[in-house]
Amino acid sequence: MKKLFYYTAFFLAVIALNSCSKIDNYPAPSDTINGSTIDEGTGATVQTEIGGGGTRVKLLEISYSANPTPEYFQSMQDGTFNDDKIFAATYKVSVEGPFVPLVTTDNTGTVTADSSQTIKLTSKATLNFKVQPFLRVQWVGKPVFNADSTVTVQVKITRGTNNANYQQDITDINLYVSNTQYDGNNNYDPRYSKLVSYSGSNGTALLGQVITITTTGGALPQQDVYFRVGARINAGLDEYNYNTPMSVTYP
């Protein structure tokens, strides 16, 4: 009787193992979605930061469900995106970040605007989304080394949209300093970066003006150093709009 019990248990274990292996035999996802998020006013890609605080691509697999759970992957810093590990299916695709949402709803949940794109992904799809950034951050000249080996930069910040729902006051204008080009609110050297928060309309009063910012913490190290300015309003995902990273040669 004991042997019969062992044989039965072994037989059931083999069946369970085979069942699991059948489930795992599905091929890995290999289709690709790439593209860019573009400022509709300038034609340039919308700069962002890498990681969870930057622009993300939202996928809704509508061939599987009428009410699917969203899937996301992150954009690259320069506003382009690429994911080559996606299952073939039909998707509703949009991007989310520091810009006017592509899909908006009213207070009842009814969709009032929808600029997402629906695709049937069978191998590769390239998608470009035109958006209105909350803010535009533009360099004015190049960063300049001072006599004390600090660096001064100048930027101009303007609104990127006339949409009345996204005219909130500027809450932060930050100069980020980093030893890599992947510079931003998630990756900076706090010894030299200058972070300034504003209350009320104090930050907003700087719109359209040339803003001068100097690094803190004394002389910068004699190595490759990258500079970038980020600014944000209290809207959407509370993310920053950026200019492109820029580096200068140590004198």
Side-chain angles (χ1 to χ4, degrees):
M1 179 64 70
K2 182 180 288 188
K3 287 184 178 180
L4 178 61
F5 172 78
Y6 287 145
Y7 288 146
T8 302
F10 176 76
F11 179 71
L12 293 175
V14 170
I15 292 176
L17 182 61
N18 286 338
S19 298
C20 291
S21 65
K22 288 180 180 177
I23 293 175
D24 292 338
N25 280 339
Y26 288 111
S30 59
D31 287 6
T32 298
I33 293 178
N34 61 20
S36 56
T37 304
I38 300 170
D39 181 336
E40 70 174 29
T42 66
T45 54
V46 177
Q47 294 287 313
T48 185
E49 64 185 64
I50 59 174
T55 299
R56 63 184 184 179
V57 181
K58 179 180 180 180
L59 306 178
L60 296 174
E61 188 182 340
I62 57 177
S63 54
Y64 174 76
S65 169
N67 187 29
T69 300
E71 301 174 44
Y72 300 93
F73 67 90
Q74 295 299 131
S75 169
M76 289 177 276
Q77 177 173 280
D78 64 357
T80 63
F81 51 84
N82 183 82
D83 190 335
D84 59 2
K85 299 281 189 296
I86 300 178
F87 284 108
T90 300
Y91 295 97
K92 182 177 180 180
V93 188
S94 60
V95 288
E96 298 179 342
F99 41 80
V100 176
L102 294 179
V103 181
T104 57
T105 58
D106 61 19
N107 55 11
T108 67
T110 302
V111 174
T112 56
D114 188 347
S115 296
S116 63
Q117 299 184 39
T118 299
I119 60 168
K120 184 176 182 180
L121 184 63
T122 56
S123 177
K124 179 180 179 180
T126 297
L127 305 176
N128 295 310
F129 295 94
K130 292 185 177 182
V131 302
Q132 298 175 22
F134 296 146
L135 299 170
R136 294 191 181 106
V137 185
Q138 299 171 301
W139 288 113
V140 177
K142 295 182 178 180
V144 175
F145 264 100
N146 302 312
D148 59 357
S149 294
T150 59
V151 168
T152 297
V153 306
Q154 291 187 318
V155 296
K156 183 181 290 186
I157 300 173
T158 55
R159 299 278 189 191
T161 178
N162 293 321
N163 189 312
N165 294 320
Y166 301 98
Q167 302 297 307
Q168 291 86 345
D169 286 319
I170 292 177
T171 60
D172 302 89
I173 300 175
N174 300 331
L175 169 60
Y176 299 107
V177 181
S178 175
N179 61 355
T180 78
Q181 63 181 320
Y182 302 107
D183 201 358
N185 191 56
N186 64 333
N187 183 40
Y188 64 90
D189 191 329
R191 295 174 297 174
Y192 309 109
S193 300
K194 182 72 174 289
L195 312 183
V196 181
S197 295
Y198 296 90
S199 60
S201 61
N202 292 335
T204 305
L206 299 174
L207 282 170
Q209 299 184 29
V210 175
I211 303 169
T212 301
I213 313 172
T214 299
T215 57
T216 63
L220 291 173
Q222 295 188 36
Q223 62 183 48
D224 291 338
V225 180
Y226 292 83
F227 306 92
R228 200 180 193 201
V229 175
R232 67 178 174 180
I233 63 174
N234 186 19
L237 300 174
D238 205 26
E239 297 177 349
Y240 284 87
N241 291 106
Y242 292 97
N243 54 7
T244 57
M246 186 177 292
S247 180
V248 292
T249 303
Y250 205 99

